Amino acid sequence: MAKNVVVIGSQWGDEGKGKIVDWLAEECSGVVRFQGGHNAGHTLVVGGKKTILRLIPSGILHENLDCFIGSGVVVSPEALLAEIDELNAAGVKNVEGRLKIAPTCPLILPYHIALDKAREASKGDKKIGTTGRGIGPAYEDKVARRAIRAVDLFDTEKIAEKIKANVALYNVQLEHLHGAEPIRYEDIMETINGFKDRILPMIHDVSRTLYEKGQKGERLLFEGAQGTLLDIDYGTYPYVTSSNCSAGAAAPGAGVPPHMLHYVLGIVKAYTTRVGSGPFPTELFDEIGAGLAERGNEFGSVTGRARRCGWFDAAALKRSIQVNGISGMCITKLDVMDGIEEIKICTGYEFDGKQVDILPCGADAVAKCVPVYETMPGWKESTFGIKTYGQLPQNAKNYLKRIEEICGAPIAIISTGPERDETILVQHPFAD
Ligand code: GDP
Ligand code: IMO
Ligand code: MG
């Protein structure tokens, strides 16, 4: 039986999911995004050429591959069209023809973005540090059953009614709670009329096509965004995103039955980063942290914000392995650890006078966690671009082995550089 693979972020996002999805996409017949929105920034580097994808699945550079946006994704049509235009300009073929959007996707409209920004501004130093893309308000509308969905674009009269009600509601919040500028119904309708004709042909019964591909034995790749520690339920709430970013979300988010999710590949950075506010037990404020940020080029691909850096947190990864049922790990950015004399791994925490070996859920509990470290010797040699396991320095192998031991999951792939082929294959996730 063909194996479908779910790729998820195992930490606080930006683990290198895009690079690995692009690499794995070679072997499959479709790539599906199942949650998040254009808060994601997935970087692909092929032949020295960098592509940053926000909403479009990271399989799009493979010429004949179909790419799907499932119902769990909140879609900004304006951001999507801008991204398509960028890919067209870069010479990627037939993007619009290969991209299929589920009719049930909730749309992100300008009032979501206005409210996201106004709320963050009102919160001052308690702000979440969102990407300001309207993600939270769009998911709120979905759950409150007032979202405008992709399918609604077929009936502009009905949309007009819904938009009127939504504008009234949003203006109460914008003006009276946040002292922000109100939004105008006419402007929203103009925006919708501006993108409608290009979006309509891409609307497609994604759930049905994925099911049929499954029946035919074709391989599918499910692409997660963000990371498990940003998951709305199991992350550092409220400093999280507004969707479930864990593997199970791939089923409802793509519209496939859970038995179609065969293998969960957890993407794991060889150290830890976080962008935005919220507790981060292993965060480094010294020159080692600054070195990771510099060598790892740790600046957000969406907002350009500097990412906070810290030691590898095996106790946080344990939570991620349990929540996702990670079948295999892909360790990325191993090369960024080159040249560190002594490496620390967090194996647990002191928490309320007790020792715990797994990250608790929720920001208040995580803020109380004081990391307990074990120390290992680092390596001086460069691992950058290494493509076979045997060529890795012994201390790098020891580091990887120790991560496997503490976390209790096997390593399937190791990434040693941003390029597609700067990758070491240990056990192929698609192999039977
Ligand atoms: P994503 O959101 O999980 O797809 O990750 P991002 O693309 O936001 O961030 C990962 C960054 O690290 C990108 O700039 C990648 O090009 C880069 N990258 C990915 N894998 C590696 C690696 O193994 N080594 C190095 N040095 N960079 C990598
Ligand atoms: P990828 O897919 C890293 C963070 C934001 C903020 C919090 C909530 O590239 O890994 P939101 O705009 O979602 O309401 O912001 O989540 N965040 C990410 N951090 N990588 C991402 O995506 C992120 N998407 C959202 O910085 O802290
Ligand atoms: Mg990213």
Side-chain angles (χ1 to χ4, degrees), residues 154-196:
F154 287 105
D155 186 343
T156 346
E157 259 176 48
K158 237 195 198 147
I159 278 200
E161 243 176 71
K162 288 188 182 178
I163 294 285
K164 257 185 205 142
N166 285 355
V167 165
L169 179 72
Y170 272 79
N171 278 343
V172 170
Q173 298 193 59
L174 284 169
E175 288 186 280
H176 301 294
L177 277 180
H178 304 293
E181 282 292 306
I183 34 146
R184 281 166 27 104
Y185 161 78
E186 294 77 14
D187 293 343
I188 304 291
M189 288 311 293
E190 198 181 311
T191 305
I192 290 174
N193 287 324
F195 62 62
K196 196 179 69 165

Side-chain angles (χ1 to χ4, degrees), residues 55-84:
L55 265 171
I56 296 179
S58 299
I60 200 74
L61 298 188
H62 296 268
E63 271 200 0
N64 296 311
L65 197 62
D66 284 334
C67 288
F68 301 89
I69 297 183
S71 189
V73 177
V74 282
V75 176
S76 158
E78 291 173 286
L80 183 68
L81 294 176
E83 203 174 320
I84 292 172

